[in-house]
Amino acid sequence: MITNFITLFFICVFFLFTLSVICQDSDIETDCSNRWIHIRRLPPQFNLDLLSNCSEYPLFDNFCPYLANHGFGKKTHNKSHSWYRTDPFMLELIFHRRMLEYPCLTSDPSHANAIYVPYYGGLDSLKFLYGPEVNSSYQHGLDLYEYLVHGDLPDVWSRHYGHDHFMVMARPAWDFNQPFDSDPMYFGTSFLELPELFNVTALTLESRAFPWQEQAIPYPTSFHPPNLAFFESWVNRVRRSRRKTLMLFAGGGGSSSKPNIRRSIRLECENVTSTSANGTGYEKLCELVDCSSGICQHDPIKFMKPMLQASFCLQPPGDTPARRSTFDGIIAGCIPVFFEDLSAKKQYGWHLPEEKYEEFSVSIRKEDVVSKGLNIIDVLKSIPRGQVRRMREKVVEMMPRVMYRKHGSSLGLRTKKDAFDISIEGTLERIRSRLQEVAAQ
């Protein structure tokens, strides 16, 4: 009963908003040349019906609480305007909601420069990853392909055979690249291995080292301001915050005896004495925020305050190269410290331009720390204070590029391109280039 109500509620809200979107966007002067997008109409089995199964995967999590506010989750407290308990796996829902207010939508697919497929692929993968179809993961995406090609308006697909289609899949691409001949099977589905869908652009939370069809876009943080005033108020707080800790690591892992970068970080922090910070201008040289077993994921209060008080936030790879914490840290104005290029530099080029990394981040090779005993604190202490201030200001400048502002936000805030805006720009350019390549063949 409750799950059916959830589905009905979302269908009604999406429908009502679609009716009002033209009126809302009429206040904005927009040049839609080469920016037209058509939203492909899908049966609810590919999106809204998946929300009604939110409590059916106990090995994963009950994600029903995080469906609130169109995927932002519940507010951190009743009076909050910008902070939510956001689950990053709800990005498909967040993106879909924002697409409905995109100013250059067209109902005519032949007029569109790109076709958005509102498929919740990450949520659909749960039945293969944690549910009854775990031994059929090679089938993930086949039913979608059949519908796109043979279902409603097949000419939309055959026009460019999927080269102009894009979708969001709110999991790392590693979760969708299990080879068909894998024996034994390992965690993941084979969605990105399907030849039928090779031409479709997939926006994922992380991309592989050599991606073809996917592009990484930022993990959603818990910060979703509704207007310019709330955004600028937060920026001012970030700038005023007293940075009394040199470096911070918020995360889990590193407790095993096997050498790895997280273990090295923990050992270095634990060996710092109370007098080590004397004469440095910091009260503490290192702070650890234990986020083991996901205890921080839906509670930004646990890590945002420490991040606001730290100059540098360490972002070591874990199960995958990238981390949501990278984007949490940027929202807090905390300078990221990376230990391999695949953690961000080789993935998020649309949102964090590769040529600017030296201006807003620090790079330390994990091999130098783990195998050669390089001291991270010594490296960070050697950076002049003036340079640290300039790097932090660059981090603050990057903040809008990695946040997903609230749907229906004010006109003033919409003048600042956020993660969604940049994702759409990058997708349109990628599709344009791909179509030119195909035409030239």
Side-chain angles (χ1 to χ4, degrees):
M1 181 71 177
I2 295 177
T3 55
N4 289 337
F5 173 76
I6 291 175
T7 302
L8 180 62
F9 172 78
F10 273 96
I11 291 173
C12 291
V13 171
F14 271 62
F15 176 72
L16 291 174
F17 185 79
T18 303
L19 293 179
S20 65
V21 69
I22 296 177
C23 296
Q24 178 179 342
D25 285 329
S26 62
D27 295 331
I28 307 173
E29 292 186 8
T30 305
D31 179 11
C32 291
S33 302
N34 301 315
R35 297 178 58 217
W36 291 106
I37 295 178
H38 172 75
I39 299 180
R40 189 82 187 259
R41 187 169 299 175
L42 298 181
Q45 73 184 76
F46 294 113
N47 42 48
L48 296 178
D49 281 357
L50 298 171
L51 304 181
S52 66
N53 300 328
C54 55
S55 62
E56 294 186 8
Y57 305 102
L59 292 177
F60 172 66
D61 196 2
N62 176 2
F63 61 87
C64 299
Y66 314 121
L67 299 178
N69 296 300
H70 300 278
F72 286 160
K74 298 177 181 179
K75 294 181 178 181
T76 52
H77 55 276
N78 290 336
K79 295 184 179 180
S80 174
H81 295 281
S82 303
W83 291 92
Y84 298 80
R85 302 186 185 278
T86 303
D87 189 297
F89 294 145
M90 297 301 106
L91 180 58
E92 293 150 355
L93 181 56
I94 294 170
F95 208 94
H96 191 179
R97 176 59 177 81
R98 282 289 302 277
M99 276 302 308
L100 294 177
E101 62 184 54
Y102 178 68
C104 298
L105 293 179
T106 175
S107 59
D108 182 358
S110 66
H111 184 62
N113 303 104
I115 307 294
Y116 168 58
V117 182
Y119 169 56
Y120 299 171
L123 296 181
D124 197 23
S125 73
L126 295 179
K127 63 188 177 188
F128 300 104
L129 301 177
Y130 302 98
E133 300 180 47
V134 65
N135 293 320
S136 303
S137 59
Y138 63 91
Q139 295 181 352
H140 182 204
L142 288 177
D143 53 350
L144 174 68
Y145 173 75
E146 286 300 315
Y147 179 81
L148 294 175
V149 176
H150 303 296
D152 181 50
L153 300 176
D155 290 347
V156 179
W157 176 271
S158 61
R159 181 167 164 239
H160 293 296
Y161 296 97
H163 282 290
D164 56 346
H165 284 50
F166 74 98
M167 65 182 69
V168 176
M169 303 188 73
R171 297 188 72 90
W174 316 91
D175 290 351
F176 305 118
N177 74 330
Q178 180 171 191
F180 295 114
D181 57 355
S182 179
D183 186 17
M185 297 176 64
Y186 56 82
F187 185 82
T189 78
S190 302
F191 187 96
L192 293 179
E193 298 293 315
L194 290 175
E196 294 90 339
L197 294 171
F198 273 171
N199 296 340
V200 177
T201 294
L203 305 180
T204 58
L205 294 177
E206 300 185 35
S207 62
R208 295 166 292 181
F210 301 100
W212 163 248
Q213 67 266 56
E214 82 265 15
Q215 168 65 42
I217 62 176
Y219 278 83
T221 69
S222 295
F223 182 58
H224 312 288
N227 58 46
L228 192 59
F230 283 112
F231 172 74
E232 291 182 341
S233 175
W234 175 254
V235 170
N236 289 334
R237 180 179 176 183
V238 168
R239 287 192 169 120
R240 292 195 310 267
S241 183
R242 181 168 171 251
R243 307 284 168 166
K244 58 184 182 182
T245 304
L246 174 65
M247 72 181 196
L248 169 90
F249 171 56
S255 57
S256 69
S257 59
K258 183 179 179 180
N260 60 66
I261 183 60
R262 293 194 177 209
R263 179 174 182 270
S264 296
I265 289 171
R266 287 191 176 277
L267 289 175
E268 184 171 338
C269 285
E270 290 168 357
N271 289 331
V272 173
T273 64
S274 58
T275 60
S276 300
N278 292 346
T280 64
Y282 293 101
E283 294 181 11
K284 293 185 290 185
L285 292 182
C286 185
E287 181 175 0
L288 296 174
V289 177
D290 185 11
C291 290
S292 302
S293 303
I295 61 174
C296 299
Q297 186 172 16
H298 305 120
D299 190 358
I301 297 173
K302 289 184 180 295
F303 54 83
M304 286 306 296
K305 185 176 180 180
M307 283 181 170
L308 281 168
Q309 296 175 344
S311 282
F312 298 93
C313 284
L314 309 185
Q315 306 298 349
D319 294 335
T320 59
R323 309 180 67 216
R324 168 184 168 167
S325 176
T326 295
F327 306 104
D328 293 322
I330 291 175
I331 295 297
C334 191
I335 301 166
V337 180
F338 298 116
F339 297 90
E340 60 178 49
D341 285 347
L342 198 54
S343 289
K345 194 173 185 178
K346 297 300 183 183
Q347 292 203 58
Y348 302 102
W350 289 356
H351 298 78
L352 302 173
E354 189 170 340
E355 67 275 8
K356 293 185 178 294
Y357 270 73
E358 291 186 2
E359 299 177 15
F360 71 87
S361 70
V362 176
S363 179
I364 301 174
R365 294 179 70 247
K366 63 183 179 183
E367 294 82 4
D368 291 341
V369 177
V370 177
S371 302
K372 300 180 181 180
L374 179 66
N375 190 280
I376 302 170
I377 290 176
D378 288 344
V379 174
L380 300 181
K381 281 168 54 179
S382 69
I383 302 175
R385 280 299 186 100
Q387 184 177 345
V388 172
R389 286 192 293 271
R390 290 190 295 272
M391 294 174 75
R392 184 178 305 118
E393 190 56 35
K394 286 293 183 181
V395 171
V396 173
E397 289 179 13
M398 292 288 181
M399 192 187 302
R401 303 177 65 88
V402 302
M403 75 177 188
Y404 293 88
R405 66 175 181 264
K406 188 177 181 181
H407 42 266
S409 58
S410 69
L411 294 178
L413 186 56
R414 276 188 268 173
T415 62
K416 293 184 178 293
K417 294 179 181 179
D418 73 341
F420 171 86
D421 296 323
I422 294 170
S423 297
I424 291 297
E425 285 186 355
T427 299
L428 287 167
E429 176 58 28
R430 176 189 175 99
I431 289 174
R432 185 191 65 80
S433 297
R434 185 72 62 80
L435 291 178
Q436 287 180 345
E437 292 174 5
V438 172
Q441 291 176 355

